[in-house]
Amino acid sequence: MSIILAIIVIGVLILVHEFGHFLLAKKNGIGVTEFSVGMGPRIVSFVRGETRYSLKWIPFGGSCMMMGEDEDLPDEKSFNNKSVWARISVIFAGPFFNFLLAFVLALIVLGNGGVNPAYVYGVEEGGAAAQAGLKTGDVITKINNRNITIGRDIELYLVEHPLDGSMVTVEFERDGEKQSITFDPNRKAVLMGFRYYATEDPVVLPEVTKGQPFEEAGIRAGDTITAIDGTPISSGLQLQEYMQEHELKEEPVTITYERNGKSYDTAVTPKFTTYQDLGFSASYGRVKSGPIEVIKNSFYEVGYWIRYSFTSLKMLVTGRVSSEEISGPVGIVSMVDDMVEQSKPDGLFYVFLNLANFAILLSANLGVLNLLPLPALDGGRLLFLLIEAVRGKPIDREKEGYVHMVGMVLLMILMVLVLFNDIVKLF
């Protein structure tokens, strides 16, 4: 079932992406020779007008093949005979439709599940933020001049700009009044070096601090904490309660965690550390809101996932994230399976909402990836078209074709490596 659901989700994303190209091609009078979902041999195919519509065996990928896309043809419907801005609109339409789909899905998810305001739900007693005047219920609007529109923006900001000991300025609203505080985030305590979300969900670690006890013990981001010293931990709230009741000392603690379905026990010795911390927690939960707030926050939601995608790519390129953490089709099936199992007790509607929420991330990510200025991707084609717009004449078609062909080969090699990585992670 999870495989079928994953194929449906990926298929819809690809269909919408290719439909963007298709629609703008038709609007600009460009002939479309074949519109297909999937790759490889055809399963079902029919011709209507000048276009062949196909469903193919391999459910990952798709195409909108246009007349004269990679060659010069005398036909007025040829892609390359249209104005450069018409061609730019056709190429850009694919990623844009992915962003549009993400927005529509966000309307559904937020309309039913609620928005994610940056409410402060916990302020550490005696901490710098509390002493500066921050209180539970305040709504964070900025951190160091970076706009905060939803609760998860705070986490993303900290990933992009790790605290370095400098003073932190937080702007917030309380009872409709805007306020601002500045405080020192430096603290000293006995720590194990990990972050988690204090929610009702399982404790899947979003981050493990480099050089701290958790990393030294072999625990990684993405692992799920299930017990501490034999005490079962089933949620972030339960872990928060445990940590509040058990003061850490520089003595070994047995951590039980899961990775790829297997359970492990390891001894972790907390250590006295100087570290930086905001001293407050913002909400990851959702709050029911009216239509206007849902529409506004749907834009925020898509914007968040676009920034998240760019940040993830930056971290991958700079080595802050291992290539082992990249997931392809098999990894997506595994994530869908976990999502379905966790949502089943709440009913089919919540399974749908969680899948839709996951599809927001995938759709925004697909849009971002396709806009990268790399050969064979939409971004690569846009780069050539923008150069043509500036020069007033196109780059040699044959040379451009060679560049895209090499890019396609490299893209296929990358897909094989990602698939191999997915399979390795299963064992």
Side-chain angles (χ1 to χ4, degrees), residues 14 18 34-39 52-56 61-65:
I14 294 169
E18 298 301 337
E34 184 174 23
F35 179 83
S36 65
V37 176
M39 298 186 296
R52 176 179 291 278
Y53 299 87
S54 305
L55 178 64
K56 299 185 177 181
S63 66
C64 176
M65 298 176 64

Side-chain angles (χ1 to χ4, degrees), residues 277-292:
D277 184 49
L278 288 177
F280 67 87
S281 301
S283 174
Y284 286 87
R286 297 189 180 274
V287 179
K288 287 283 189 177
S289 296
I292 301 300

